[in-house]
Amino acid sequence: MSSKTSPSAARKAGPEQVKQSLRVWLKMLKATKHVEAVVRENLRVEFDTTLPRFDVMAALYRFEEGLKMSELSSALRVSNGNVTGIIERLVSDGSVLRVPVAGDKRAMLVRLTQRGRDEFARMAAAHELWINEIFGSLPVDVTAGLLATLDTIEHAQGLYSEGEHDA
Amino acid sequence: MSSKTSPSAARKAGPEQVKQSLRVWLKMLKATKHVEAVVRENLRVEFDTTLPRFDVMAALYRFEEGLKMSELSSALRVSNGNVTGIIERLVSDGSVLRVPVAGDKRAMLVRLTQRGRDEFARMAAAHELWINEIFGSLPVDVTAGLLATLDTIEHAQGLYSEGEHDA
DNA sequence: GCATGAAATTTCAAGCTTGAATAATTTCCG
DNA sequence: CGGAAATTATTCAAGCTTGAAATTTCATGC
């Protein structure tokens, strides 16, 4: 009768653990969305631009020599077609330049114009302050712990072969 | 000449702190996007649905009696017009029902159909497991610390009068 | 009753995002 | 060389998202 051996019981997640996981995730999501909303709003009001544009410019700022479309989309981890549209608008704004790649007629190199660089430098400076207004109040040991925990999350399940991590 | 008193120096954030804030934020954003991407992909592949739809259904699941469109959009913290489109699609899927509000011809109550409830229950169960796969490996004290830290972030700057917090 | 403003919702234009399909080019190999 | 496969980028349809404008209805005060 009592021969119930419950084979998978050892590795089974308790309902309490599942709930806690969910709770943490929802809070993390909420906090992230909150910060993102602040950044979006500030970008819109102070610089009349958007977060995706900002992200693209940030990537191009870092690679002065320019990036191929495919490099850009994989750096930002978004789809190819996505970047096409954003770059299009940045080009017509005069912030980004397209140059053909020597020796490969398929590829295009995109890079910031000087105007784009100046623009982004101003935005990045403001952005740093916005973020620091939110995160700057955390004690150093807390942010250190947060960094460590977030690292763990990223590597929690090696199911997805993450491409190159940017430094 | 040397009468520079630098009035704001006392409260000035050190460049090291700003950098650390930025580092934490970028990592938090990255981790959140990673988890979100997993959820989106799983919802798409296993249930042929989207995260926004899931979010709407989650809210409606919690309020069995239904919600007004305005209540729904403020619960999800998205724009009014946004919800309209999502509900439209959920209605034509047969997952959501619209009922007029007695005594107010402007308002509409939206609620899950039985089919919608069953659908969501299955999705929610799977969702819990996905999340637990990622967060379940964290030690209890770490998740506790994470929860506390995230709370601090939400309330770091009381610049925005947050509406009602959902429990 | 009636005007005036508030509230609830939809509509709209613009932009973001994805995954799939397409097109052009390059690379690999036989 | 010449064709199959891989790479690069764009196009496309569908859906999400926003803020603003428009619409309808309600509430208030006169």
Side-chain angles (χ1 to χ4, degrees):
Chain A
M1 311 229 172
S2 55
S3 63
K4 240 173 65 174
T5 43
S6 196
S8 68
R11 284 192 65 259
K12 190 170 182 182
E16 207 38 64
Q17 183 200 295
V18 173
K19 270 191 181 155
Q20 178 79 345
S21 293
L22 202 54
R23 207 175 303 134
V24 170
W25 163 236
L26 291 179
K27 192 163 282 281
M28 179 170 158
L29 184 58
K30 191 174 178 181
T32 300
K33 291 207 155 178
H34 171 61
V35 177
E36 233 188 26
V38 169
V39 172
R40 277 180 202 278
E41 173 73 3
N42 286 345
L43 281 175
R44 189 176 69 84
V45 171
E46 295 190 22
F47 295 101
D48 189 31
T49 192
T50 66
L51 191 48
R53 258 180 251 243
F54 180 82
D55 288 340
V56 165
M57 292 180 81
L60 295 182
Y61 192 83
R62 223 155 84 77
F63 295 87
E64 308 188 27
E65 69 286 358
L67 285 174
K68 289 197 294 185
M69 291 297 278
S70 50
E71 293 171 333
L72 187 50
S73 60
S74 88
L76 299 176
R77 298 168 187 275
V78 298
S79 68
N80 276 350
N82 187 356
V83 179
T84 300
I86 298 175
I87 287 291
E88 222 155 65
R89 286 177 278 271
L90 284 173
V91 166
S92 59
D93 284 0
S95 305
V96 162
L97 208 64
R98 284 170 196 264
V99 284
V101 171
D104 191 338
K105 288 184 198 139
R106 296 168 302 179
M108 280 303 224
L109 216 57
V110 286
R111 69 168 64 162
L112 289 179
T113 60
Q114 186 55 48
R115 173 175 163 186
R117 291 195 74 76
D118 296 346
E119 233 177 298
F120 179 77
R122 288 191 305 122
M123 293 195 289
H127 178 255
E128 276 190 351
L129 296 186
W130 304 333
I131 295 304
N132 192 62
E133 251 175 60
I134 299 175
F135 289 85
S137 60
L138 300 181
V140 186
D141 57 326
V142 171
T143 61
L146 188 49
L147 273 175
T149 304
L150 292 172
D151 259 332
T152 307
I153 290 171
E154 275 187 86
H155 304 104
Q157 17 64 70
L159 306 173
Y160 303 86
S161 61
E162 328 224 340
E164 72 277 65
H165 294 253
D166 52 348
Chain B
M1 301 247 179
S2 58
S3 62
K4 241 172 66 171
T5 42
S6 195
S8 68
R11 286 191 63 259
K12 191 170 183 178
E16 208 37 65
Q17 181 201 296
V18 173
K19 270 192 180 155
Q20 178 79 346
S21 294
L22 202 53
R23 208 176 301 134
V24 170
W25 163 236
L26 291 179
K27 191 163 280 283
M28 177 170 159
L29 184 58
K30 191 174 177 182
T32 300
K33 291 206 156 181
H34 171 62
V35 177
E36 235 187 24
V38 170
V39 172
R40 276 180 202 280
E41 174 71 3
N42 287 346
L43 282 176
R44 189 176 69 83
V45 171
E46 296 191 21
F47 296 101
D48 189 31
T49 191
T50 65
L51 191 48
R53 259 180 252 241
F54 180 82
D55 288 340
V56 164
M57 292 179 82
L60 295 182
Y61 192 83
R62 223 155 84 76
F63 295 87
E64 310 188 26
E65 68 286 358
L67 285 174
K68 289 197 294 183
M69 293 297 279
S70 51
E71 292 171 334
L72 186 51
S73 62
S74 88
L76 299 175
R77 296 171 189 274
V78 298
S79 68
N80 276 349
N82 187 354
V83 178
T84 300
I86 298 175
I87 288 292
E88 222 155 66
R89 285 176 278 272
L90 284 173
V91 166
S92 59
D93 284 0
S95 307
V96 162
L97 207 66
R98 285 170 197 265
V99 283
V101 171
D104 192 337
K105 288 185 196 138
R106 296 169 301 180
M108 279 303 224
L109 216 58
V110 286
R111 69 168 63 163
L112 290 180
T113 61
Q114 186 55 47
R115 173 174 164 186
R117 291 195 75 77
D118 296 347
E119 232 179 298
F120 179 76
R122 289 191 303 122
M123 294 195 290
H127 177 256
E128 275 190 352
L129 297 185
W130 305 334
I131 296 304
N132 193 60
E133 251 176 59
I134 299 175
F135 289 86
S137 61
L138 300 181
V140 186
D141 58 325
V142 170
T143 60
L146 189 49
L147 272 175
T149 305
L150 292 172
D151 258 332
T152 308
I153 290 170
E154 275 188 84
H155 305 105
Q157 16 67 67
L159 305 173
Y160 301 86
S161 61
E162 328 223 343
E164 71 276 63
H165 294 257
D166 54 347

